Amino acid sequence: MKKQRSGNLNLIRKEIQTTHLILIISITVLLSFGGTFINIKSSDKSFNQTLQDTSALIARLYSFTKDLPQDDFIEYMDSVVQTLPDVDVISIVGSDNVRIYHTNHSLIGTEFDGSHPDFNNFKDLYFTENSIGPSGPQRRSYKAIFNSDGEYDGFIMAIRLRTSIVNATIHTTGLFLVVVLASVLIELSVSGAIFRKIRHQFLTFTEDFEGTKFLVDSMRANNHDFTNKLHVILGLIQIGEYEKAQSYIQNISIIQRETVSRVMNAVDNSSFAALLIGKIARASECNVKFILEEGISFKSGDIDIPSEALVTITGNLIDNALDSMNSEGDFMKKSHELTFGVYTKPENLLITVKDNGSGIPEEIHDKVFENGFSTKGSGRGVGLYHTKQLVESLGGTISFETQPHNGCCFMVKIER
């Protein structure tokens, strides 16, 4: 049952993680490509608008400064260009196609031999296009210049180099990807916390279910045990021993009630307590007297041990003791007894299971915890092996003391 439950939990975990990973990758890819596409389109519009606004600004400034001496005019325009980080080149070309101003001063006074729109009939329009100039591939915005008489006086070009556009796009896309990655990491962290919470709730549920299963097993064992007791009561009534029948009923009721009460008061873990009650009933079926050590106490707050580990370790040791006392060669013993103890203190746990069965022969002491070793035939010998593996995985130790024909005592110690 433990393996099946662990397997189911691992399967659920893997399915959730796989589905979650696929969703994260899909969403990230879609957001990245979609965001990049939108960003590029938005950047193109933004670049065009910036270039047009810049060309309009330079056109207005030119109308006020064109009569300045050339050196003063160039110095003034340089100061303006320095305040325009989103524009790489400003070029002012006269009506004779000679450059009046250029960001690259070596081109001032040279002829503009490239093509440009016909502005004569489009005074208030902007023209934006991709082209190639002295500085390489670029995005240009043209704005015509007209004098006070409305005559064509040249044009202004505001230019953003293609390399600058690409770098700006990469920078913006990089920032976008960083935001997406941060969002994914946050989402993974949140989903991880949610998964851990679901896992905790699942384990709590399965532990409660395990406790219920042990209670059901206990009820079945008690039902069989009480059936035997009813036969005794019926027999006493049939032979007329009414007072003995009444006394017998009172005694078994008191014993059963006291046993359950003592276990529930000493053990605050429902699954563990249910296991012990079920094993007490099973011991009764096997004609074994189940004795609880004085002062037993298990407090979950003292040490953090999974309920399923407690159930597996204790269940295997008790079953092993019951098998020992019912093994061939030991059935003539008059009274079989199993004594159980459990004790905790902060970061410490001790479990003892002692029987008065046939004991463990000295020649097989070293083989008791071997996988597959058993004196009961093939297909056995895994209980103590798995118990040892589980105890050691919890950082504990398991040992035993035995005397031939005088029983055996197994001890589990876990210290943190």
Side-chain angles (χ1 to χ4, degrees):
M1 180 64 181
K2 175 189 173 185
K3 289 183 178 179
Q4 182 180 3
R5 185 176 66 186
S6 177
N8 289 339
L9 181 59
N10 287 332
L11 181 60
I12 292 173
R13 177 179 60 82
K14 289 180 179 178
E15 288 181 353
I16 292 176
Q17 288 181 335
T18 301
T19 303
H20 184 257
L21 185 60
I22 292 173
L23 287 174
I24 290 298
I25 293 175
S26 301
I27 292 173
T28 302
V29 171
L30 288 175
L31 286 176
S32 298
F33 280 102
T36 301
F37 177 78
I38 294 172
N39 176 65
I40 292 174
K41 290 296 183 182
S42 177
S43 295
D44 284 344
K45 292 182 179 179
S46 177
F47 290 147
N48 291 344
Q49 188 63 50
T50 298
L51 292 175
Q52 291 177 4
D53 292 342
T54 300
S55 59
L57 172 64
I58 298 300
R60 287 195 293 271
L61 293 176
Y62 176 73
S63 65
F64 297 117
T65 59
K66 64 181 180 178
D67 295 329
L68 290 173
Q70 186 180 27
D71 291 343
D72 292 341
F73 174 73
I74 293 174
E75 181 179 359
Y76 176 77
M77 294 306 300
D78 284 345
S79 65
V80 172
V81 171
Q82 290 176 0
T83 65
L84 304 172
D86 294 329
V87 176
D88 296 316
V89 177
I90 295 295
S91 181
I92 302 176
V93 181
S95 58
D96 56 357
N97 277 349
V98 175
R99 294 183 177 92
I100 300 172
Y101 173 81
H102 196 284
T103 305
N104 181 358
H105 291 179
S106 64
L107 295 176
I108 296 176
T110 61
E111 183 179 359
F112 176 77
D113 55 359
S115 62
H116 62 79
D118 181 7
F119 299 106
N120 289 322
N121 298 320
F122 302 98
K123 294 183 179 181
D124 297 324
L125 294 181
Y126 300 93
F127 296 90
T128 303
E129 66 176 6
N130 292 320
S131 184
I132 297 178
S135 302
Q138 53 196 243
R139 186 74 171 167
R140 295 176 177 177
S141 180
Y142 301 88
K143 173 64 174 150
I145 304 171
F146 295 88
N147 61 25
S148 58
D149 295 330
E151 298 175 347
Y152 175 70
D153 202 20
F155 63 90
I156 293 173
M157 287 191 301
I159 299 171
R160 189 74 189 268
L161 299 178
R162 179 57 58 182
T163 54
S164 297
I165 295 175
V166 171
N167 290 336
T169 302
I170 292 175
H171 177 71
T172 304
T173 302
L175 290 177
F176 177 79
L177 291 176
V178 169
V179 172
V180 171
L181 180 60
S183 301
V184 169
L185 292 176
I186 293 173
E187 197 277 339
L188 285 173
S189 177
V190 172
S191 63
I194 294 174
F195 173 75
R196 287 191 293 272
K197 184 176 180 180
I198 293 174
R199 181 178 183 274
H200 174 73
Q201 292 175 342
F202 178 79
L203 288 175
T204 301
F205 168 76
T206 54
E207 286 180 0
D208 291 341
F209 178 78
E210 193 74 9
T212 303
K213 184 180 77 69
F214 282 118
L215 284 173
V216 171
D217 291 342
S218 173
M219 291 172 65
R220 288 174 178 169
N222 279 321
N223 179 60
H224 188 274
D225 186 43
F226 273 103
T227 299
N228 293 333
K229 290 180 172 61
L230 286 174
H231 291 161
V232 174
I233 295 169
L234 180 60
L236 290 172
I237 292 174
Q238 288 178 340
I239 63 177
E241 296 288 350
Y242 303 112
E243 292 183 1
K244 288 184 179 181
Q246 182 179 0
S247 177
Y248 181 77
I249 293 172
Q250 290 174 345
N251 287 338
I252 60 177
S253 297
I254 292 172
I255 292 172
Q256 181 71 10
R257 186 165 56 250
E258 289 180 348
T259 299
V260 173
S261 177
R262 186 177 176 193
V263 171
M264 297 304 294
N265 289 331
V267 178
D268 67 358
N269 182 295
S270 60
S271 297
F272 193 21
L275 170 75
L276 293 178
I277 293 172
K279 294 303 182 184
I280 291 172
R282 182 170 182 269
S284 178
E285 284 187 299
C286 297
N287 296 318
V288 174
K289 183 179 180 181
F290 196 110
I291 302 172
L292 296 173
E293 292 273 18
E294 291 295 329
I296 65 169
S297 175
F298 178 86
K299 296 181 179 179
S300 300
D302 284 342
I303 187 167
D304 183 19
I305 301 292
S307 296
E308 59 181 28
L310 287 169
V311 167
T312 299
I313 293 169
T314 304
N316 284 345
L317 292 179
I318 291 176
D319 287 342
N320 187 69
L322 292 176
D323 288 344
S324 174
M325 287 183 287
N326 285 277
S327 63
E328 184 179 358
D330 196 50
F331 59 88
M332 294 300 295
K333 186 177 286 292
K334 293 182 179 180
S335 176
H336 288 155
E337 294 181 352
L338 186 154
T339 305
F340 176 80
V342 59
Y343 311 91
T344 61
K345 61 181 182 179
E347 305 304 327
N348 284 267
L349 168 68
L350 172 64
I351 297 175
T352 62
V353 177
K354 180 170 60 177
D355 66 72
N356 64 346
S358 58
I360 300 175
E362 184 175 355
E363 61 270 18
I364 65 171
H365 284 188
D366 295 337
K367 300 181 180 180
V368 168
F369 295 112
E370 289 184 3
N371 188 16
F373 175 78
S374 175
T375 60
K376 306 180 184 70
S378 61
R380 306 291 295 273
V382 294
L384 289 178
Y385 168 77
H386 286 305
T387 300
K388 185 174 186 293
Q389 296 293 313
L390 180 56
V391 170
E392 291 178 348
S393 72
L394 296 170
T397 60
I398 182 171
S399 59
F400 65 89
E401 296 178 356
T402 183
Q403 292 181 352
H405 309 296
N406 281 318
C408 181
C409 179
F410 279 85
M411 293 162 289
V412 172
K413 295 181 180 179
I414 298 177
E415 298 179 355
R416 296 293 173 82

